[in-house]
Amino acid sequence: MDDLETLAESIRNADTAAVLTGAGVSAPSGIPTFRGDDGVWERFDEGQFTYGRFRSDPEGFWADRLELQEAMFGGDYEPNPAHEALAALERDGHLEAVLTQNTDGLHADAAAAVRGDDVDEPRVETADSVLELHGNARRVRCADCGRRRPADPVLERAADGELPPTCDCGGVYKPDVVLFGEQLPGAVIQRARSLIRESDAFLAIGSSLAVEPAASLPRRASSSGATVGIVNLESTPCDDAADVVRREDVTEALPRLRELVVEG
C-alpha cells in the first residue's frame, strides 16, 4: 500500500474527514498566488491592503483594490481537476467540509457542477460544505449595515469613478475578504476548529501552511488523533506532523486519490 492509498483508506473509513486548501489548488486554474516567484505581492505592496487603510483612506484603498482585483481575477478561470475531485468526494459523503484559504469561489463552482447545477455564471453564494476562511472576493459587504451583494456591479461603479463605492445606507462597501489586520469571522474559525477536533482524516492541500490560523490546523488535527496528509509542491512547517507528505501536482494527486477512495 503506497501513501496515497493510505490516505484513501483513512478517508474511506473516517466518520469525519475534512480538507484545507490553499493557493496551490487554484494556481492551475490561472489564479496567481500571493507569495513566491511571480506572486502578487511581488507586484503590489501588501501594506496598501490593510483594514486600517480601508478605514482611514477608503478612496485610495479602492483605487488600489481595483488594480489588485484585475491582477488576481481579471482572466477567465474555472475549477480544475483538484477542485472537481474534492467536490465529488464531498457529494459522495466522503468529506464533511472543505476549508479554504482561497477567495476565488472555485470550490463553490465545483460543488455546483458536480451536483449538475447551472454554472454558466460564477457562484456568489457559498456552498454549505465550503468554509471560506478568508472570505470571498466575488462579494462586497457594507462596513456599516453589513449588507452583502455581488462584487461585480460595485467594482464597475468604482471603475467608473465612484471611489469609494457606497451602500444605500451611506456606508462604504468593503471587499468581503479578510484584510491584513482584520480578524477572521469568529463563527467560521470556530466551526473549522470543531471540524478539526472531530476529524479522523485531515488533508492540507496546496497550502504553504505559513499563515495563521490555518497553519496550525494540521497540528491540531494530528493532536486529536486524525490521520494527516499534506499534498504540496514545496515543504511546509507542518510536514513533521503529517502521516503522509506528497510532493505532487494537486491536479494529478487529487483525482487519483478520489479514484482510490471509490475503488476501495
Side-chain angles (χ1 to χ4, degrees):
M1 179 182 294
D2 70 17
D3 51 9
L4 206 58
E5 290 174 326
T6 298
L7 288 182
E9 183 177 53
S10 70
I11 292 171
R12 193 166 51 245
N13 295 333
D15 290 329
T16 302
V19 171
L20 169 72
T21 66
V25 171
S26 289
S29 292
I31 305 292
T33 60
F34 283 102
R35 305 186 189 279
D37 295 339
D38 201 31
V40 168
W41 298 139
E42 293 291 317
R43 292 174 282 159
F44 293 86
D45 178 3
E46 61 186 270
Q48 299 304 306
F49 300 95
T50 66
Y51 185 65
R53 189 188 182 207
F54 167 77
R55 299 298 296 183
S56 65
D57 179 23
E59 180 177 349
F61 171 90
W62 267 103
D64 289 337
R65 178 69 192 189
L66 288 173
E67 293 186 26
L68 178 65
Q69 189 84 9
E70 178 64 24
M72 289 289 296
F73 308 116
D76 293 328
Y77 58 93
E78 59 186 18
N80 61 55
H83 294 106
E84 293 162 356
L86 291 174
L89 284 169
E90 187 276 326
R91 177 201 61 195
D92 295 340
H94 296 295
L95 288 182
E96 182 73 19
V98 173
L99 293 64
T100 186
Q101 297 170 281
N102 301 332
T103 63
D104 50 51
L106 288 178
H107 282 298
D109 289 350
V114 300
R115 291 195 306 264
D117 296 348
D118 181 5
V119 290
D120 288 341
E121 295 295 328
R123 315 290 288 190
V124 174
E125 70 277 11
T126 301
D128 291 340
S129 60
V130 178
L131 286 182
E132 293 170 331
L133 300 176
H134 295 167
N136 189 320
R138 293 179 180 178
R139 298 188 302 261
V140 294
R141 178 175 59 84
C142 176
D144 286 357
C145 73
R147 178 191 179 193
R148 285 181 167 87
R149 61 172 298 178
D152 282 349
V154 175
L155 291 166
E156 290 173 7
R157 285 163 48 189
D160 288 340
E162 185 185 335
L163 295 173
T166 57
C167 176
D168 292 342
C169 78
V172 176
Y173 278 122
K174 170 189 166 295
D176 197 17
V177 300
V178 178
L179 303 175
F180 292 110
E182 188 176 16
Q183 291 187 337
L184 271 67
V188 172
I189 195 62
Q190 183 176 355
R191 187 183 173 210
R193 286 171 175 162
S194 294
L195 279 168
I196 298 308
R197 288 194 299 270
E198 297 167 3
S199 290
D200 306 299
F202 180 77
L203 275 65
I205 302 168
S207 174
S208 64
L209 298 175
V211 178
E212 291 291 355
S216 63
L217 296 181
R219 293 193 185 279
R220 287 175 178 265
S222 179
S223 296
S224 297
T227 299
V228 175
I230 294 175
V231 182
N232 197 55
L233 289 175
E234 306 294 335
S235 62
T236 81
C238 294
D239 286 356
D240 63 315
D243 298 282
V244 172
V245 176
R246 299 278 296 197
R247 299 276 174 263
E248 190 174 353
D249 187 321
V250 297
T251 63
E252 296 176 1
L254 270 294
R256 180 58 182 153
L257 177 64
R258 192 226 165 190
E259 288 178 4
L260 289 170
V261 171
V262 173
E263 289 171 0

